[in-house]
Amino acid sequence: MRTTFLFLAYLFSVLSVVFSVLPLDTLAFVVLIPALVFIVLAFLKSAPDQRKWPKRLFIVVYVCILGVLGKTFLVEDEVATDQAFEQQKVEAKQEAKQELEQLENDLE
């Protein structure tokens, strides 16, 4: 049972590192919480001299949690307006109006 919990703890720990690096905001907690659960279960099922790896995995997952929370609360998402694009949009609209006016003049 210990090896199963340890394997699942490794798996979810690796996934939690990947998810915490990706820009998925708090979606990383979907992987972080099971990682913590399996690490605790592996720690409880281990003998005192076999608790080295669950402790290390806990540190990794703890750092990932801090990283995700830091990205969530400290990094602000900004949406900047692209002035060049806005100008192109206005110019395209004016060109379209001019073409329509030319077509109307040609029909008359």
Side-chain angles (χ1 to χ4, degrees):
M1 201 65 169
R2 175 190 178 271
T3 56
T4 304
F5 289 143
L6 200 55
F7 173 75
L8 290 172
Y10 279 126
L11 178 71
F12 280 105
S13 297
V14 169
L15 287 175
S16 66
V17 169
V18 170
F19 273 47
S20 63
V21 172
L22 293 174
L24 298 174
D25 205 28
T26 56
L27 190 62
F29 284 113
V30 171
V31 180
L32 287 166
I33 291 174
L36 282 176
V37 169
F38 288 123
I39 289 169
V40 168
L41 290 173
F43 183 80
L44 294 176
K45 293 289 183 178
S46 300
D49 59 334
Q50 296 177 333
R51 292 183 174 173
K52 177 175 63 172
W53 284 108
K55 287 180 184 178
R56 290 179 182 173
L57 290 175
F58 179 75
I59 291 170
V60 169
V61 171
Y62 183 72
V63 169
C64 289
I65 288 173
L66 289 178
V68 169
L69 288 175
K71 284 193 312 186
T72 301
F73 292 116
L74 300 177
V75 176
E76 294 180 14
D77 294 332
E78 281 186 28
V79 178
T81 57
D82 188 6
Q83 296 298 332
F85 177 71
E86 293 296 326
Q87 183 64 28
Q88 287 176 352
K89 207 164 63 169
V90 169
E91 290 173 2
K93 189 180 268 187
Q94 289 173 352
E95 288 175 9
K97 282 183 183 179
Q98 289 174 355
E99 288 177 5
L100 283 174
E101 289 173 359
Q102 280 181 344
L103 287 174
E104 285 178 1
N105 292 336
D106 291 342
L107 291 176
E108 292 178 355

